[in-house]
Amino acid sequence: MLDEIRYAPSKDTKVAYRIVGSGSPLVIVSGLGDSMDAWKESIVQTLAKEYCVILPDNRGMGLTKIGSIAPQKMTISQYAEDVFAVIQKEGLTGICLLGHSMGGMIAQEFALSYPDTVKKLMLFATDYGPESSYRARLMNRCVLPLQALSVIAPWHTKGFRAGACAIASWKGTAERLSTIQCKTLLLFGDTDFLMHIEVGHEMHTMISTSALKVVAGGTHRMHDLYPREFAKTVQAFFGEAAEQKKE
């Protein structure tokens, strides 16, 4: 089975990504501070039996160098452009796109910028920006101090600082989510402290083609706690796209 690390040029850096398996392309975008190695191998191998799984490293994380962009200037849109560089390098169309947390923000920007490229979209434990009700009440209290801390704290990497700054400066997608036309699954846990289920319900009303799945006892990193169940959820949602790709 194919299992390689490849690189795609994107402006001032090369985006590293792992490509595993064969079949319909499934691109998984990681959250703040995570790299391709953060995804449990059991999840990757299970999905790789049905899909060509592609796991990019965001700028400054894992094997992807941050390039010349200063951490405080990094944007969610730039992360999305980096993902597109991977898609271009592989010559892909009709991808299944999954984004977790900050990766879900990146996935939203990608789907809005390249709607013809995305067949199905899964937004996992994320929000739609500073206008999200829970972000307005709680996350701004966390994200803005996190941005300041990550600029001055020497123990955080440039990649982590870049991600924190990108989240804090992101204007969000509140006015644009209604334009998403592909089938979308919103996956939330009902005990997620960071990305509250309330935001999932809001996004569900904004995206007419969406379904909302709430996992009882699910946390922000429930894919780590319940890898088998998570993989099954991904397979169930993207399965139709995979079957259509084979026809």
Side-chain angles (χ1 to χ4, degrees):
M1 181 171 65
L2 173 68
D3 190 346
E4 297 178 0
I5 301 295
R6 297 179 182 176
Y7 293 85
S10 181
K11 293 185 178 179
D12 56 331
T13 193
K14 291 183 178 180
V15 181
Y17 58 100
R18 182 183 177 189
I19 181 167
V20 190
S22 60
S24 184
L26 169 56
V27 180
I28 301 178
V29 187
S30 301
L32 176 65
D34 280 349
S35 69
M36 64 178 82
D37 293 333
W39 292 89
K40 284 187 176 295
E41 191 64 17
S42 62
I43 294 176
V44 175
Q45 292 300 325
T46 297
L47 296 177
K49 293 176 182 178
E50 298 183 29
Y51 308 96
C52 178
V53 180
I54 297 173
L55 297 150
D57 274 343
N58 294 325
R59 282 181 182 244
M61 301 306 304
L63 299 176
T64 301
K65 294 182 179 179
I66 196 168
S68 61
I69 300 176
Q72 62 270 26
K73 298 294 185 180
M74 190 60 191
T75 65
I76 297 297
S77 293
Q78 180 58 60
Y79 285 125
E81 290 302 311
D82 291 340
V83 175
F84 185 62
V86 173
I87 303 306
Q88 282 188 308
K89 175 69 181 300
E90 293 296 324
L92 301 175
T93 58
I95 69 169
C96 298
L97 180 61
L98 189 166
H100 172 241
S101 194
M102 184 185 83
M105 302 172 192
I106 298 168
Q108 289 172 62
E109 291 291 352
F110 185 97
L112 289 164
S113 296
Y114 305 103
D116 294 337
T117 303
V118 182
K119 192 174 189 67
K120 278 191 172 183
L121 175 65
M122 182 171 167
L123 302 175
F124 166 37
T126 191
D127 75 13
Y128 58 90
E131 294 183 30
S132 302
S133 61
Y134 197 64
R135 171 90 75 98
R137 293 201 308 271
L138 175 65
M139 286 296 288
N140 281 344
R141 301 177 187 176
C142 301
V143 172
L144 293 178
L146 177 62
Q147 181 186 30
L149 175 64
S150 61
V151 168
I152 64 175
W155 57 85
H156 289 315
T157 66
K158 286 185 178 180
F160 186 92
R161 296 201 298 272
C165 291
I167 294 172
S169 64
W170 187 46
K171 297 185 183 300
T173 57
E175 302 300 320
R176 297 178 286 150
L177 276 183
S178 63
T179 66
I180 290 180
Q181 298 299 311
C182 64
K183 288 186 178 181
T184 302
L185 178 64
L186 305 168
L187 180 63
F188 284 77
D190 65 2
T191 61
D192 189 338
F193 172 74
L194 289 175
M195 303 297 184
H196 197 271
I197 182 55
E198 183 177 346
V199 176
H201 286 289
E202 293 169 359
M203 295 177 75
H204 183 36
T205 64
M206 294 174 176
I207 306 173
S208 62
T209 55
S210 69
L212 174 63
K213 180 179 176 63
V214 180
V215 177
T219 65
H220 192 61
R221 299 191 65 87
M222 56 186 168
H223 55 304
D224 288 337
L225 296 176
Y226 315 116
R228 180 179 298 178
E229 291 79 0
F230 177 79
K232 286 182 178 179
T233 297
V234 174
Q235 288 174 315
F237 177 63
F238 289 128
E240 180 184 337
E243 289 302 316
Q244 291 177 354
K245 191 75 173 180
K246 291 176 184 177
E247 293 178 357

